[in-house]
Amino acid sequence: MSLSSMPDNIIVRLNRVPDPGVLPADIFDLVTEPVPELRSGQILVEILYQAIDAGSRGMLDSAAGYVLTVPPGDRLPASASIGRVFSSLSDQYGEGVLVRLFGGTRQRYQRIDPSRCVGLQVLEPDVGEPLHYLGILGITGFTAWLGITDICRPVPGETVLISVAAGAVGSAAGQFAKALGARVVGIAGGATKCQYVRDQFGFDDCVDYKAADFTERLAQACPQGVNSYFENVGGAVQRAAFALLRDFGRVAMCGQVAQYNGGGEVPGANLMTVVNRQLEVRGFLAHVHYHRLPEFMAQVGQWYREGKLVQPCNVVQGLENLHEAINSLVEGRNIGQQVHQLTASR
Ligand SMILES: NC(=O)c1ccc[n+]([C@@H]2O[C@H](COP(=O)([O-])OP(=O)(O)OC[C@H]3O[C@@H](n4cnc5c(N)ncnc54)[C@H](OP(=O)(O)O)[C@@H]3O)[C@@H](O)[C@H]2O)c1
């Protein structure tokens, strides 16, 4: 492809540190720049869809304590993308092929060196719903699988408790725990979400943390206590969940979404419970374990092909609407995987 026929790139940059809460429309700048020139072996991918995660908000403000913070003026990292190869100097990835990749930034065209790109996979027409490769078959599912199989380690009959149960990671974690034979109880915001978690994700029960009698209802939903807890949120929900853990219970510390929306740390569990009940509380970062992706795909891919897994995707269109795609998480409007479609459907 000659340089004259190359499109312009549009790159998203953070305008300033946002105030706590929902993001205003001018929080990101869309900057037009030339697409980078390809070197031997590289491909240029036109990005079509990108995952939106709880961390997409957390990374905008250091007060969130998230694993990374984007300084104003910088590009925004994306956890995973789906795109079409626009031009190619690679023997392996031809023009027009649909691919999924991990990492990269929020921009219209991404230059990729396939030998150095994690999670790069050609999406054939028969591999399943492409958007699931951003979610339950992507980093989201991988995160849930690590927390469940490495740390929660449920055996049939045990109770696993999962916070942010209607979200992308939480809904996947619950379905994996069910597939392993556990009794699974979720925690989510609102009666409608809780019903969805029970009816569609197949959890045995789900409790609304916004209800006035949440703590009592949670105890009723876990009459034998909890053997393991998949922790996504922090704050009052964490406090109630830790109180139900049985002796030698396991806690997978996956995230603290209650502090990602600005405003800083939120007080959580009474940590004397960790001592008194001899709990195992372990944090983890999915990207550190990428070498285990084949193991993940072998187990979760099998459950997926058997039709055991469900993941709705909530799509927001338009580069100029990225703030809205993130606000959907901040305001709890999403069920399942939140997805940003960079342009309107063609
Ligand atoms: N450790 C890792 O490597 C890793 C990797 C990926 C993700 N994670 C973690 O996984 C968790 C889930 O992330 P996700 O991307 O799947 O997001 P998500 O669960 O799809 O979406 C966020 C949900 O969080 C809830 N929420 C938002 N603000 C809240 C607040 N202030 N207090 C309580 N709940 C709030 C809302 O659900 P409700 O309506 O139910 O409140 C919202 O729908 C996060 O903690 C994230 O950091 C960790």
Side-chain angles (χ1 to χ4, degrees):
M1 177 147 313
S2 72
L3 263 182
S4 57
S5 57
M6 289 296 250
D8 276 336
N9 206 359
I10 301 174
I11 295 169
V12 183
R13 293 182 186 275
L14 181 62
N15 175 288
R16 61 185 183 280
V17 177
D19 293 330
V22 295
L23 301 172
D26 65 349
I27 196 66
F28 303 123
D29 294 324
L30 301 182
V31 182
T32 301
E33 293 180 13
V35 294
E37 207 167 303
L38 294 186
R39 297 192 208 102
S40 173
Q42 292 183 332
I43 57 177
L44 186 70
V45 178
E46 179 185 8
I47 303 296
L48 304 175
Y49 301 95
Q50 293 188 310
I52 301 287
D53 326 288
S56 307
R57 177 67 179 84
M59 67 175 67
L60 305 182
D61 180 354
S62 61
Y66 191 66
V67 64
L68 65 98
T69 302
V70 179
D74 265 24
R75 298 174 192 225
L76 294 168
S79 61
S81 309
I82 288 176
R84 211 168 272 292
V85 177
F86 185 84
S87 58
S88 174
L89 294 179
S90 157
D91 298 335
Q92 216 183 331
Y93 300 90
E95 284 174 19
V97 165
L98 193 66
V99 293
R100 187 279 316 269
L101 55 107
F102 294 167
T105 48
R106 299 196 184 279
Q107 57 187 51
R108 194 82 177 79
Y109 293 89
Q110 183 91 45
R111 182 176 59 178
I112 306 291
D113 185 340
S115 66
R116 297 170 60 184
C117 182
V118 179
L120 184 59
Q121 178 173 347
V122 174
L123 301 181
E124 308 282 2
D126 60 350
V127 294
E129 163 57 50
L131 292 185
H132 287 163
Y133 285 79
L134 288 183
I136 202 152
L137 299 175
I139 292 178
T140 301
F142 182 56
T143 303
W145 177 81
L146 284 170
I148 290 295
T149 59
D150 277 13
I151 305 172
C152 291
R153 305 189 299 278
V155 295
E158 281 193 347
T159 298
V160 181
L161 181 61
I162 300 186
S163 53
V164 198
V169 171
S171 62
Q175 293 177 77
F176 300 164
K178 279 302 289 178
L180 294 169
R183 176 170 185 274
V184 180
V185 177
I187 301 170
T192 308
K193 274 193 176 181
C194 287
Q195 185 162 354
Y196 197 100
V197 168
R198 285 188 294 266
D199 296 351
Q200 304 299 323
F201 295 133
F203 286 37
D204 296 282
D205 207 344
C206 187
V207 182
D208 174 9
Y209 72 87
K210 294 179 178 170
D213 55 351
F214 161 65
T215 309
E216 294 78 27
R217 284 201 205 182
L218 189 64
Q220 283 164 12
C222 308
Q224 311 297 324
V226 167
N227 300 95
S228 60
Y229 173 46
F230 193 105
E231 161 63 331
N232 285 316
V233 65
V237 170
Q238 182 190 75
R239 190 175 178 87
F242 268 59
L244 292 173
L245 279 155
R246 292 168 62 110
D247 285 353
F248 307 108
R250 288 91 59 197
V251 181
M253 294 294 295
C254 180
Q256 300 283 277
V257 78
Q259 69 184 44
Y260 294 172
N261 300 336
E265 287 179 40
V266 181
N270 178 351
L271 293 181
M272 264 319 282
T273 316
V274 178
V275 180
N276 294 339
R277 310 243 174 98
Q278 304 184 67
L279 305 180
E280 176 189 337
V281 181
R282 218 171 103 194
F284 67 103
L285 290 171
H287 66 265
V288 173
H289 300 273
Y290 278 160
H291 59 283
R292 295 182 59 200
L293 281 166
E295 198 188 328
F296 156 72
M297 276 310 288
Q299 185 166 36
V300 172
Q302 177 70 24
W303 290 332
Y304 183 79
R305 285 189 295 277
E306 289 171 358
K308 287 184 177 165
L309 306 177
V310 177
Q311 188 169 61
C313 293
N314 185 38
V315 182
V316 171
Q317 293 185 338
L319 258 172
E320 69 287 2
N321 293 321
L322 174 60
H323 66 292
E324 270 307 313
I326 299 172
N327 284 340
S328 191
L329 294 193
V330 173
E331 298 187 315
R333 282 183 266 131
N334 71 308
I335 290 187
Q337 181 69 51
Q338 184 73 4
V339 174
H340 183 217
Q341 184 174 0
L342 273 65
T343 53
S345 302
R346 284 172 285 180

